[in-house]
Amino acid sequence: MREITPGMGRDMQTVTLPGSKSYSHRLLIAAALADGESRITGLLRSEDTLLTRDALRAFGAVIEDDGEAMVVTGTGGRLKACAEPIYLANSGTSMRLLTGIAALGQGETVLTGTQRMSERPIEDLLVAMREAGVPAECVNPTNCPPVKVTGGLLKGGKVTLDCRISSQFLSSLLLAGPYAEEGIAVTVAGELVSKPYVEITLDIMERFGIEVTHENFKTFRVAANQSYKPGAYHCEPDGSNASYFWAAAAVTGKSVKVMNVTRKSRQGDVGFVNVLEQMGCTVLHEEDGTTVTGGDLSAVTVDMSLMPDVVPTLAVVAAHAKGTTVIENVAHLREKECDRLGCVATELRKMGIDAVARESSLEITGGALSGSEVETYDDHRMAMSFSIAGLTTPGVRILDPGCVKKSFPNYWDVFDTLQ
Ligand SMILES: O=C(O)C1=C[C@@H](OP(=O)(O)O)[C@@H](O)[C@H](O)C1
Ligand SMILES: C=C(OP(=O)(O)O)C(=O)O
């Protein structure tokens, strides 16, 4: 348990954050699929990205960490058989992205995780993989992991993919695509949620020399006989994790600059500052970072389909704003580390805030917060978001604060520099 002390130290604070989780997973995967040696700096070393690293090692990539960079000797897309199941805890990105990559393995691969992982859907991806020739199925009749994938049979061709639950399914097929026998053409059926994460995938594939074409994010084509180019790559800091520090400024009225996270980034969550601006904050965009200064906060109605991971942060800011904030189009938040609509509403209500989770939206009416013991549901974003409420409200106690290790192991050290 960790009790937060209200208040911030200086009026203007600067923070430096570790690497982006989404970029780190993809940089490691692309380098592991390349033929030759890559050197990657700035990577996030957290529970989830290290699980991806270990899985790629099991698939035959040689990955060494010299403290500054990870040096990856890739497989050229020829992956080793994995006799033991690959354990991916509750890392959805690892599970979904590596399920597609397992199609490049030899023989059968089983990918497994925590109890919560076995409640996070994956069947839509497996349907498309089977269309592409890959025997792939859930071990239990749940549409969720563990999954079993038979490698070596990725024919590719035309497939249809339902992306209403997760964009990670599409990223998975795209990343494996260059090594499909016929290449792959993926048509997205239904809404593509979390689209910016697909842009991150496209960015990495392009940087590694792979050409992907698409018509307005509807049909994506990856030609066969392309290969990932090894080289020197750098990972930018994490835009989702920046949200907690911008939110700290928003609720305290002070200023926080997050270094090297700028609007030039392809990380959709950097767009969180635009929502804060709409709520009454001032935002300063500079070449070397983005500063938020808090102001009188008022409620917003906002579609957050593109920025799912900052919804818990926004919810805590909304609890401090005048009026009722409506966060729309976020049904997919129910499938994350916890049911983030239900759990966020429950924890806000414990603090005396009127919060309602609907099927695909969240409504929060700002008001006077009171301290409470915050259940974090083994969800790093619950811990980090609710710590921000503790800056304005005495008696906020975060249970299981160590769960931040999933994406931000030194979160509390950086948080403490605010005080
Ligand atoms: O591809 C990625 O790196 C991610 C995609 C998003 O998931 P969904 O596409 O399932 O919403 C996001 O929530 C997750 O933290 C990271
Ligand atoms: C949803 C998240 O991650 P993942 O899907 O990788 O578990 C997250 O980091 O908020």
Side-chain angles (χ1 to χ4, degrees):
M1 202 258 284
R2 189 180 170 111
E3 179 149 3
I4 311 294
T5 311
M8 285 216 334
R10 278 157 288 144
D11 286 347
M12 168 69 199
Q13 312 264 0
T14 297
V15 295
T16 300
L17 306 183
S20 149
K21 174 163 79 78
S22 293
Y23 269 109
S24 294
H25 285 296
R26 288 160 175 77
L27 282 160
L28 288 168
I29 291 172
L33 294 178
D35 209 348
E37 190 177 286
S38 297
R39 186 180 161 81
I40 316 172
T41 50
L43 283 171
L44 171 67
R45 291 163 178 85
S46 74
E47 183 175 41
D48 284 14
T49 57
L50 296 182
L51 285 166
T52 288
R53 177 201 64 186
D54 292 347
L56 294 167
R57 281 178 173 159
F59 280 130
V62 176
I63 306 179
E64 270 152 36
D65 194 338
D66 67 16
E68 199 204 334
M70 286 209 204
V71 181
V72 181
T73 308
T75 59
R78 296 170 298 277
L79 305 184
K80 255 184 18 195
C82 292
E84 295 297 315
I86 295 185
Y87 179 73
L88 299 169
N90 191 12
S91 175
T93 313
S94 308
M95 174 60 71
R96 276 80 174 258
L97 267 45
L98 293 171
T99 291
I101 299 307
L104 309 173
Q106 306 295 312
E108 232 167 58
T109 304
V110 174
L111 300 106
T112 180
T114 59
Q115 172 56 35
R116 176 61 183 165
M117 179 62 90
S118 68
E119 297 164 8
R120 299 182 67 186
I122 196 162
E123 180 62 17
D124 292 331
L125 170 60
L126 304 185
V127 169
M129 285 174 64
R130 290 194 292 268
E131 267 187 72
V134 183
E137 61 189 40
C138 294
V139 171
N140 303 310
T142 53
N143 293 339
C144 297
V147 297
K148 191 167 75 183
V149 178
T150 304
L153 297 167
L154 179 58
K155 187 164 70 61
K158 284 188 191 163
V159 303
T160 304
L161 180 67
D162 191 327
C163 295
R164 285 174 299 174
I165 290 179
S166 174
S167 69
Q168 293 167 346
F169 305 155
L170 178 56
S171 290
S172 182
L173 293 179
L174 294 176
L175 285 164
Y179 299 129
E181 214 179 292
E182 301 174 6
I184 198 156
V186 189
T187 298
V188 175
E191 190 192 357
L192 167 58
V193 295
S194 306
K195 189 172 96 179
Y197 292 95
V198 176
E199 297 188 48
I200 294 175
T201 302
L202 297 178
D203 182 32
I204 287 298
M205 292 179 74
E206 190 187 321
R207 280 158 65 185
F208 277 78
I210 305 285
E211 197 189 333
V212 183
T213 62
H214 65 90
E215 291 104 45
N216 204 16
F217 289 85
K218 200 67 197 159
T219 295
F220 293 79
R221 290 190 178 76
V222 189
N225 300 318
Q226 305 189 69
S227 61
Y228 288 87
K229 304 281 175 295
Y233 296 96
H234 182 71
C235 182
E236 64 185 58
D238 194 285
S240 317
N241 287 340
S243 73
Y244 310 110
F245 299 94
W246 290 322
V251 301
T252 59
K254 305 221 164 158
S255 299
V256 178
K257 177 171 184 174
V258 179
M259 296 307 294
N260 301 315
V261 178
T262 72
R263 60 179 160 193
K264 283 195 193 138
S265 172
R266 306 283 280 271
Q267 297 179 70
D269 284 357
V270 178
F272 182 60
V273 297
N274 302 330
V275 182
L276 293 179
E277 198 166 40
Q278 253 181 288
M279 295 179 85
C281 297
T282 306
V283 180
L284 176 64
H285 295 278
E286 291 175 292
E287 284 290 308
D288 66 344
T290 306
T291 306
V292 170
T293 302
D296 282 338
L297 298 173
S298 52
V300 274
T301 294
V302 58
D303 183 327
M304 292 293 282
S305 164
L306 303 183
M307 289 186 254
D309 291 358
V310 294
V311 167
T313 330
L314 175 57
V316 168
V317 175
H320 292 79
K322 194 164 179 299
T324 301
T325 289
V326 185
I327 302 173
E328 297 177 326
N329 206 10
V330 284
H332 57 311
L333 258 82
R334 294 201 183 272
E335 318 294 348
K336 304 284 183 194
E337 283 81 332
C338 65
D339 164 4
R340 284 191 183 148
L341 300 188
C343 296
V344 164
T346 301
E347 297 310 311
L348 284 176
R349 282 197 297 267
K350 275 166 54 182
M351 303 181 97
I353 295 295
D354 188 4
V356 185
R358 305 201 186 280
E359 202 179 316
S360 63
S361 64
L362 192 55
E363 280 178 29
I364 297 137
T365 304
L369 287 97
S370 48
S372 74
E373 204 158 82
V374 179
E375 178 67 58
T376 47
Y377 310 88
D378 201 18
D379 184 346
H380 54 148
R381 301 209 187 279
M382 291 295 293
M384 295 189 281
S385 302
F386 280 83
S387 70
I388 301 308
L391 293 174
T392 61
T393 309
V396 173
R397 300 176 303 282
I398 307 289
L399 296 176
D400 187 21
C403 66
V404 300
K405 69 182 185 296
K406 187 177 198 281
S407 70
F408 197 164
N410 64 332
Y411 176 70
W412 297 111
D413 296 335
V414 182
F415 182 83
D416 283 348
T417 67
L418 295 177
Q419 297 192 306

